[in-house]
Amino acid sequence: MAYQFDFGSILPHWKLLLDGVVLTTELAAVGAVAGVGLGILGAWARSSRIPVISQIVAVYVELIRNTPFLVQLFFIFFGLPALGVKLSEFQAAALAMVINLGAYSTEIVRAGIQAIPQGQIEAAQSLAMNRVQIFRYIVIRPALKKIWPALSSQVVIVMLGSSVCSQIAAEELTFAANYIQGMNFRAFEVYFVTTGMYLVMSIVLRQILKIFGNFLFERRHHA
Amino acid sequence: MSLVELHAIHKSFGAVQVLKGIDLKIDEGQVIALIGRSGSGKSTLLRTINGLETIDDGTIMVAGKKVGDHDTDLLDLRLNVGMVFQQFNLFPHYTALENVMLSPQVVKKQSKAEARAIAEEMLTKVGLADKMTHYPDQLSGGQQQRVAIARALAMKPRVLLCDEVTSALDPELVNEVLAVVRQLAEEGMTLVMVTHEMRFAREVCDTLVFMHHGRIHEKGAPEAVFANPKTPELANFVGGLAG
């Protein structure tokens, strides 16, 4: 018996999918901004002259990069309440994404910082700039420029990874898809459409990051 | 009291002793060239004067103050000591003007208008009034190096260190940079340069310091040093140049 496709069966649930897209977008936005911010801080701390600070960051990075995202999420959502830290599904999902992206982007940004020629730093030192000024005015912008494509990819990976957050009932897109599929049993149609929606979101996110990168690194004067 | 006083400077990189007890005084307005073979320690010595290299032993005094290795001491020191590098080291994401304005603004907290006025003055001085909005990669090596000189001068240092400032340049671009350095010397700027441009050193400097194996081997007025080397090492070095 051939399967009869019925994409129309999803239509009554469009609001659920839309809500899912909105929540996924919110998670991705919070995750990207705070995660990359944490990554920049982490990369800065990683190069600290105080060994303890650098080592703490190294442990954080290795801990996150060598454990599954799902376990990190479960730990935050189910584990932390034991310490009295109770988070909503959204809060736990967002926090997990920030912590996860923070670790990966620490390493990516660090690579960019290490690619800055030592002569740049020495020139800035010889101009009497302190460490914070050197990082802010000399190092960070060229460093981010070098690793922007890699960082953008990582942000997209984390956005897609938010689908895992359906496991703690954060009502993002995958959660919505599972829910609808549970009601109409139209798995093919639901996940087909959901796949398409993730694809579109990825493409849009990549474009946004590209445009933002161009804005960030463009030359403001032209000769 | 001299502007810069180095006393018994010792420095090693691992097991290699690069500076083996350097004593040197630099007076206001003096123009000194450090000469010698590669590996004689001249660039390292230059870099100790603004704290880019730490020293293992000895003392450095600049403008009457002893240089320690605390960050704040170093920042104070570097306000008095400017530096120009072999590889220019301009900041690639800023225009020529922004390169020169940056430090007066963020370090000396000058207003944008103030910093801009000084930057324009300095870029005009080095002959680049028409290149202010160019980025480093839009400039020739000689132009980049002149921006680097303007950038150092904008901080109004009392002494300027020049580390082989023409060694990375194509031969036809050397003279435009040397002309700027010569002009600074004539205006009374205190200059310490590491250079392989012997003719230039001879014409512009009032003192030549010949370094050999981490020590100051001979020192004196250029004519004397070139005409009557007192040691075989210097005679050899000078002779090698002629040949």
Side-chain angles (χ1 to χ4, degrees):
Chain A
M1 191 176 77
Y3 183 79
Q4 294 290 311
F5 292 105
D6 180 11
F7 284 95
S9 65
I10 301 172
L11 277 177
H13 307 292
W14 69 272
K15 184 74 171 52
L16 278 172
L17 283 176
L18 186 67
D19 288 347
V21 168
V22 168
L23 202 88
T24 295
T25 306
E26 287 172 0
L27 281 174
V30 173
V33 173
V36 171
L38 185 61
I40 292 171
L41 271 180
W44 160 250
R46 194 75 175 76
S47 65
S48 169
R49 284 175 302 180
I50 305 164
V52 179
I53 293 179
S54 168
Q55 284 157 9
I56 289 172
V57 176
V59 168
Y60 155 63
V61 167
E62 292 311 315
L63 185 67
I64 297 303
R65 293 203 308 170
N66 294 295
T67 54
F69 178 62
L70 183 60
V71 174
Q72 295 162 15
L73 181 69
F74 281 172
F75 184 82
I76 289 171
F77 188 67
F78 298 118
L80 286 188
L83 303 178
V85 182
K86 287 203 179 74
L87 299 171
S88 71
E89 293 84 355
F90 180 85
Q91 287 168 337
L95 183 62
M97 287 171 69
V98 168
I99 288 174
N100 189 270
L101 181 58
Y104 282 94
S105 53
T106 291
E107 280 305 281
I108 295 171
V109 174
R110 189 162 78 103
I113 290 174
Q114 282 177 340
I116 301 295
Q118 186 60 22
Q120 294 283 308
I121 317 277
E122 289 187 353
Q125 287 176 329
S126 78
L127 291 164
M129 286 189 216
N130 64 33
R131 286 170 57 83
V132 175
Q133 289 163 341
I134 292 172
F135 188 77
R136 176 172 164 198
Y137 295 105
I138 307 305
V139 172
I140 192 62
R141 198 141 68 94
L144 284 179
K145 185 178 179 181
K146 282 179 207 288
I147 49 84
W148 195 251
L151 194 58
S152 298
S153 286
Q154 193 62 44
V155 169
V156 171
I157 288 171
V158 166
M159 186 274 281
L160 295 176
S162 70
S163 69
V164 166
C165 301
S166 60
Q167 296 301 311
I168 58 166
E171 297 176 357
E172 44 68 64
L173 182 53
T174 304
F175 180 89
N178 292 344
Y179 185 77
I180 295 165
Q181 189 271 146
M183 287 193 295
N184 68 6
F185 304 111
R186 288 285 174 179
F188 183 93
E189 290 87 340
V190 170
Y191 291 119
F192 188 86
V193 169
T194 306
T195 301
M197 292 171 98
Y198 273 116
L199 190 61
V200 169
M201 289 174 75
S202 289
I203 292 167
V204 169
L205 180 57
R206 272 185 202 282
Q207 283 307 311
I208 290 173
L209 288 166
K210 199 172 161 188
I211 291 166
F212 184 64
N214 288 343
F215 166 76
L216 207 58
F217 308 123
E218 81 176 337
R219 299 191 152 182
R220 287 174 177 79
H221 304 285
H222 291 279
Chain B
M1 175 174 292
S2 300
L3 182 55
V4 179
E5 295 188 7
L6 306 178
H7 179 64
I9 304 293
H10 286 79
K11 169 78 182 176
S12 298
F13 290 116
V16 184
Q17 221 186 340
V18 189
L19 300 177
K20 302 172 184 168
I22 301 282
D23 291 286
L24 185 64
K25 287 185 180 178
I26 302 161
D27 291 321
E28 194 108 43
Q30 207 173 3
V31 179
I32 293 190
L34 304 177
I35 60 172
R37 295 188 193 288
S38 299
S40 59
K42 49 195 196 308
S43 275
T44 304
L45 178 62
L46 193 74
R47 290 161 56 85
T48 63
I49 302 177
N50 72 346
L52 284 183
E53 300 290 353
T54 55
I55 54 175
D56 302 330
D57 200 13
T59 53
I60 302 174
M61 306 266 292
V62 175
K65 266 193 281 186
K66 184 168 181 286
V67 178
D69 39 25
H70 292 294
D71 283 0
T72 46
D73 286 356
L74 276 179
L75 295 180
D76 268 356
L77 165 75
R78 288 166 179 159
L79 285 174
N80 285 320
V81 184
M83 186 157 189
V84 184
F85 299 83
Q86 184 176 348
Q87 298 294 343
F88 331 134
N89 296 342
L90 293 185
F91 307 130
H93 52 306
Y94 295 126
T95 62
L97 189 66
E98 289 165 344
N99 261 277
V100 183
M101 285 172 65
L102 182 64
S103 205
Q105 273 188 279
V106 308
V107 175
K108 287 190 161 178
K109 311 292 180 204
Q110 291 177 353
S111 73
K112 198 169 180 180
E114 253 180 306
R116 193 186 173 95
I118 292 172
E120 286 176 351
E121 181 195 333
M122 294 305 163
L123 283 167
T124 306
K125 185 188 177 86
V126 299
L128 292 172
D130 56 338
K131 303 285 184 195
M132 296 199 193
T133 57
H134 285 52
Y135 283 88
D137 62 9
Q138 299 168 324
L139 299 171
S140 73
Q143 291 167 338
Q144 288 189 53
Q145 192 60 296
R146 285 186 283 150
V147 173
I149 294 172
R151 182 174 69 178
L153 291 178
M155 292 297 281
K156 311 272 183 191
R158 295 182 63 184
V159 52
L160 187 64
L161 312 176
C162 299
D163 190 5
E164 300 199 36
V165 294
T166 58
S167 295
L169 294 175
D170 292 336
E172 73 271 20
L173 302 176
V174 167
N175 281 334
E176 64 185 61
V177 172
L178 291 185
V180 171
V181 178
R182 183 190 299 267
Q183 188 194 341
L184 292 176
E186 283 164 4
E187 289 171 4
M189 183 84 206
T190 310
L191 292 169
V192 186
M193 59 183 94
V194 170
T195 185
H196 293 292
E197 300 281 338
M198 289 307 145
R199 181 197 293 254
F200 179 75
R202 193 169 183 163
E203 288 170 9
V204 171
C205 299
D206 47 49
T207 307
L208 288 191
V209 173
F210 173 63
M211 291 191 63
H212 190 70
H213 290 324
R215 289 198 171 86
I216 293 180
H217 212 70
E218 247 183 84
K219 186 176 124 177
E223 290 312 321
V225 166
F226 277 111
N228 298 308
K230 293 193 193 67
T231 58
E233 288 81 6
L234 179 56
N236 207 328
F237 179 71
V238 172
L241 295 169

